[in-house]
Amino acid sequence: MIRAIFVVIFVLLFLILGIPVLGIEWIIRKFNRHAADLSSLRIVQWAFRVILFLCGTKLTLLGEENVPKDQPVLYIGNHRSYFDVIITYSRCPGLTGYIAKDNMAKVPLLSTWMRRLYCLFLNREDMRKGLKTILQAIDQVKKGISICIFPEGTRNRTKEEMLPFHAGSFKIAEKTGCPIIPMAITNSAEIWEAHFPSIRSAHVTIQYGEPIVFSKLSKEDQKHLSDYVQNQIHLMLTKNTAHSDDAKTL
């Protein structure tokens, strides 16, 4: 329980002490938007790494070399924990906006940081609003900002199988031509959800699959793109019970 208390204290301090930082970043954006964006990215990544340290999380990375550093991508991952966002965002090499549930937009200060970092809020109950969010994501990718989405739509509480992927998420790659980077996240629920409300140390593995380019797929795989990507993630998950020799552990 002590880990959870430390994390809560750190998050509250970050959000409160971050208020003047947001103001400074706002001023910098008036003169150099890119510099302010990168500054916000690195500040939040630092905070997320501190949270993982406080949680005692050990992270094993596989295939991180598959993530392009010179172009935006669409990250697609399985979803077992709130910590999936913290873990994966701490590893993003460039500007990346996450697509989150629209109720996150109501959280004071946190939502301000999320908007500053190009996150988008998705209403899954309203198809028109959902389409608008996907179109915004397409526009951001065209401007050089990567997008990350967990297309199961909610945290999967089963250990055996992934929930079906929502196909609409993949329009982002189809319409922009950006590579899809499949992410297989293993054991993240052991940090918190598996023994709520306590936080415990856990060993989490992230494997980044080889980039998937829509135009290079067969017509059949293009037609069933969500199933194709989900299958790639499933194959990685089944292998990640044993860590390979090229893994980098942090």
Side-chain angles (χ1 to χ4, degrees), residues 50-207:
V50 171
I51 290 172
L52 293 175
F53 172 78
L54 293 174
C55 293
T57 304
K58 182 181 292 185
L59 187 60
T60 291
L61 304 172
L62 300 166
E64 198 172 32
E65 69 278 2
N66 289 323
V67 181
K69 306 296 191 297
D70 58 351
Q71 65 179 125
V73 303
L74 174 63
Y75 295 99
I76 296 289
N78 62 304
H79 197 21
R80 292 290 316 285
S81 170
Y82 286 117
F83 279 85
D84 293 336
V85 175
I86 295 173
I87 292 167
T88 57
Y89 194 78
S90 68
R91 304 304 306 174
C92 292
L95 295 175
T96 303
Y98 278 56
I99 295 183
K101 292 181 179 179
D102 60 342
N103 57 8
M104 296 295 293
K106 302 175 183 178
V107 182
L109 295 180
L110 176 61
S111 60
T112 303
W113 276 106
M114 292 178 71
R115 290 189 176 92
R116 185 67 59 85
L117 294 166
Y118 296 97
C119 291
L120 300 172
F121 302 98
L122 178 65
N123 185 330
R124 296 190 182 277
E125 305 302 322
D126 189 319
M127 291 186 63
R128 182 174 297 180
K129 290 182 179 179
L131 176 59
K132 182 179 179 180
T133 301
I134 296 299
L135 292 175
Q136 288 177 310
I138 290 171
D139 185 57
Q140 289 192 177
V141 170
K142 289 179 178 179
K143 293 178 180 179
I145 301 165
S146 295
I147 294 292
C148 180
I149 189 166
F150 301 103
E152 288 175 277
T154 188
R155 286 175 297 120
N156 181 4
R157 293 173 173 81
T158 67
K159 292 185 177 182
E160 291 77 15
E161 298 293 338
M162 285 180 282
L163 300 174
F165 279 10
H166 294 280
S169 312
F170 295 87
K171 291 294 183 183
I172 300 168
E174 182 179 344
K175 297 299 183 182
T176 64
C178 74
I180 297 171
I181 303 297
M183 301 185 300
I185 307 168
T186 305
N187 213 41
S188 58
E190 294 301 318
I191 301 174
W192 187 45
E193 283 83 356
H195 33 71
F196 176 85
S198 297
I199 287 177
R200 298 179 184 174
S201 60
H203 190 168
V204 179
T205 298
I206 306 177
Q207 182 170 0

Side-chain angles (χ1 to χ4, degrees), residues 212-230:
I212 299 170
V213 179
F214 179 79
S215 62
K216 295 182 179 180
L217 296 175
S218 67
K219 294 295 183 181
E220 185 65 20
D221 288 334
Q222 288 180 353
K223 185 178 179 180
H224 303 285
L225 181 58
S226 62
D227 292 336
Y228 178 85
V229 176
Q230 185 166 21

Side-chain angles (χ1 to χ4, degrees), residues 1-33:
M1 196 65 181
I2 190 68
R3 292 184 188 274
I5 294 173
F6 283 151
V7 169
V8 169
I9 292 174
F10 175 79
V11 171
L12 290 175
L13 286 175
F14 177 84
L15 292 175
I16 294 171
L17 297 178
I19 294 175
V21 176
L22 286 169
I24 294 171
E25 296 282 5
W26 181 82
I27 295 172
I28 295 174
R29 282 167 68 93
K30 296 294 183 181
F31 301 95
N32 191 329
R33 186 186 186 95

